[in-house]
Amino acid sequence: MMLACQRFVSAVRNSRTLSRHVTTWSPVGAAFNAQQTKVDLFQKNVGLFGVPGLSTPAGFEVAQQRALRETEQLVETACNNPPGALTVETFDQLSDSLCKVADLADFVKVGHPDPAFRDAAEKACINIGTVVERLNTNVELCRSLKNLLDNKEVLDSLDPDTRRVAELFMFDFEISGIHLDESKRGKAVSLNVNLLDLNNEFLNGTHLPNRIEKTALPEHIRHCFSIDGNSIQIGGLHADSPDELVREAAYKIFLFPNSSLLLCLDDLLTCRNELAKLVGYESFAHRALNGTMAKTPETVMKFLELLTDKLSDRTAKDFNLMRDMKMKMNSRSTELMPWDHSYFSSAVRAERYKIDPSLYSPYFSLGACMEGLNMLFSQLLGVSFQNEQPMAGEVWSEEVRKLAVVHETEGLLGYIYCDFFRRPDKPHQDCHFTIQGGRLKKDGEYQHPVVVLMLSLPPPTRSTPTLLNPGMMENLFHEMGHAMHSMLGRTRYQHVTGTRCSTDFAEVPSILMEFFATDYRVVNQFARHYQTGQPLPKSMVSRLCESKRICGAADTQLQVFYAALDQVYHGKPQNQSTTDILKKMQEKFYGLPYVPNTAWQLRFSHLIGYGAKYYSYLMSRAIASMVWRQCFQKDPFNRDMGERYRREMLAHGGSKEPMLMVQGMLQSSPTVEELVDALVADLDTDSVTCRDDSS
């Protein structure tokens, strides 16, 4: 079968004609470079993701009730059966029953174009979340698990995965305060339910635009913003605008403090701290980092402070480059401000390396990029994509593509729904959503994982496919890294399937894909001009790789600042306002001045999903860099190394300690100093990834 796959890949490559007018695509490439075939309107509506009841918003209520009935039965089974492997299987089935509703609803509430579906999904998320919090403080249910963990004979009979999952379920009980007396358990439930509301309120607030009277802005820049009657609405930072006044106005207005949202953030952080203290932790950060690679807030701060020290000279040099560029462009002021960082770092790169994204885009049609991913996964992991036509009602937009992920010997692994194109009311963010986790069912069949990848790309037209700039192409590879983690994490239990692992490990597979995306040997396999079939010149890839290091230290330092702010917010209470803490952290970890009457923290949406864990991006990048250098830099298509990567890092999901997975891949456990050195090395060394040989 492998030989057949290789022949197919070779045939695809050779089938691309280099004539001036025609490029031939494989079925996968063609599916993404053409407009989607219309669904047969006479087909029966199978419901979202093939779930029959979800053909209407009311189906969420039906799904909830079904899950709650199953929950009651499974709780009874868990509490009445003798301790053993069946106990863990029942717990996982219980988790699966609730997650099938909650995970699906978590996507639909943000991704569905119909407000009625979004509202129904939002209610389902809240209701299921409340049920989960109550289950996590159910004493009788916990006792059934504790009886297993306290029975050495039974515990010794369990395989490592089952034992690990049992311990993870017990950890969920413990951080919810199961060990507390009845009144304190009730308090823990109340705090958790309150947090659900505060999380939603803050997350919604981070995206709301700010308004200002039209007359408050100079007339010549008003057209850059959304005008609504006598007011102007500003919903972003406009960081890439060439007009300095536009950037400054957007920064000061979009980040102007909202008093009610400041109170919401205060309440949220207080509530998190109170809950953590109630269940026995020093702070919310200590609670959140239990079970991660970093393990403690002290390790995280050591990592961030050491990285800041190592980057300090490089960061200062980067800011000087930006200041010089600002002076050269005759700006009104020579002082470098926070609204200048993104614009002038890009300007420095563009001047030095003549990087014009529009020159790259014709080579990165979406179909070509999907072919590239298909070829890479086929050679590295024996996995390929097969385009499938969705049934009526299965998808929420006719632009959504459905891919079956198939292994050359194992067969079907799962499904990826590709929601790649812009549409009204769709969030402008790149995300991976788990819809259904993989697990081994009682009948011996495997429940295939189902995920959604959501991007925000321009749709194809009749004459032109979707063309990606280099950043969009890297984002596609990044998100596909998450998807393949979900597909290849063939765990026995869905509680630890795919990306359900430590946050600071979950980003490793996705960031590793970014290294493949900037390696000329990989890019050369698929980057072809959509009209002529000509390959992307190697010199263009080299310039792109080299340009990424320009101002890289300052960009990294900005991420360090965000991560440090997140840690301090979730550490021991500072008895200061969140804005005062922001000013202090910005001075220590960033270098550009705080702007009075701004509250950037109110746009820090990652405080919700990544509370006390924002450092994960940096730590995962360090691990990914080490994996790339040691395992794939010499040969990015090495099948033996690909199999080792699957075996050591992808296959386990969260069923194995994260650092043990890293150790299995690297043959050692990296120290904090080695992690920092890996990040610094990426900024300093000549990029071998731009070469097409292994010398």
Side-chain angles (χ1 to χ4, degrees), residues 549-560:
R549 294 198 308 280
I550 298 297
C551 298
D555 293 345
T556 301
Q557 193 59 52
L558 181 59
Q559 295 301 311
V560 172

Side-chain angles (χ1 to χ4, degrees), residues 18 353-364 470 473 517-530 532-546 689-692:
L18 298 185
Y353 293 100
K354 312 301 181 199
I355 301 296
D356 181 353
S358 67
L359 297 179
Y360 287 82
S361 296
Y363 297 93
F364 292 143
M473 185 270 284
T518 52
D519 186 294
Y520 181 71
R521 294 161 294 180
V522 175
V523 174
N524 189 48
Q525 281 209 331
F526 69 88
R528 299 287 186 272
H529 197 287
Y530 78 100
T532 67
Q534 292 292 334
L536 179 67
K538 183 183 174 186
S539 60
M540 289 178 68
V541 180
S542 298
R543 289 205 311 273
L544 188 64
C545 292
E546 290 160 9
T689 61
C690 294
R691 300 205 300 250
D692 62 353

Side-chain angles (χ1 to χ4, degrees), residues 40 54 69 91 98 108 153 167 176 194 213 220 224 232 267 279 357 371 391 397 422 449 454 505 552 571 575 614 679:
D40 184 353
L54 293 181
R69 286 195 299 272
F91 267 78
L98 293 170
V108 172
E153 184 179 346
E167 290 167 348
S176 296
N194 192 26
E213 287 294 316
H220 73 280
C224 298
I232 285 178
D267 290 345
V279 299
E371 280 194 5
M391 303 290 284
S397 168
R422 296 171 189 155
M454 189 164 74
F505 180 82
N575 298 318
Y614 191 83
L679 290 172

Side-chain angles (χ1 to χ4, degrees), residues 548-618:
K548 289 166 73 69
R549 294 198 308 280
I550 298 297
C551 298
D555 293 345
T556 301
Q557 193 59 52
L558 181 59
Q559 295 301 311
V560 172
F561 160 50
Y562 295 160
L565 181 66
D566 174 44
Q567 284 299 305
V568 174
Y569 278 166
H570 291 102
K572 295 174 183 175
Q574 300 288 302
N575 298 318
Q576 293 176 287
S577 72
T578 56
T579 301
D580 286 338
I581 294 171
L582 172 79
K583 288 160 66 174
K584 181 179 171 185
M585 290 296 103
Q586 187 163 336
E587 182 180 346
K588 179 177 180 181
F589 285 102
Y590 187 23
L592 296 186
Y594 167 77
V595 178
N597 295 315
T598 62
W600 179 85
Q601 72 272 26
L602 300 184
R603 302 298 181 181
F604 196 5
S605 59
H606 284 80
L607 288 175
I608 301 306
Y610 281 77
K613 297 179 183 179
Y614 191 83
Y615 76 92
S616 297
Y617 288 109
L618 289 166

Side-chain angles (χ1 to χ4, degrees), residues 208-236 238 245-246 249-254 256 603:
L208 290 177
N210 275 344
R211 289 177 177 272
I212 192 170
E213 287 294 316
K214 191 164 62 175
T215 54
L217 288 182
E219 190 173 351
H220 73 280
I221 68 169
R222 293 174 191 169
H223 70 280
C224 298
F225 307 108
S226 176
I227 300 175
D228 183 12
N230 291 322
S231 64
I232 285 178
Q233 187 170 277
I234 297 182
H238 292 254
L245 193 57
V246 169
Y251 190 94
K252 289 180 174 178
I253 296 167
F254 185 60
F256 189 79
R603 302 298 181 181

Side-chain angles (χ1 to χ4, degrees), residues 167-186:
E167 290 167 348
L168 289 173
F169 276 122
M170 181 53 75
F171 175 66
D172 288 340
F173 278 121
E174 289 171 349
I175 64 173
S176 296
I178 196 70
H179 53 288
L180 303 174
D181 61 39
E182 190 173 350
S183 66
K184 289 182 178 178
R185 277 200 310 277

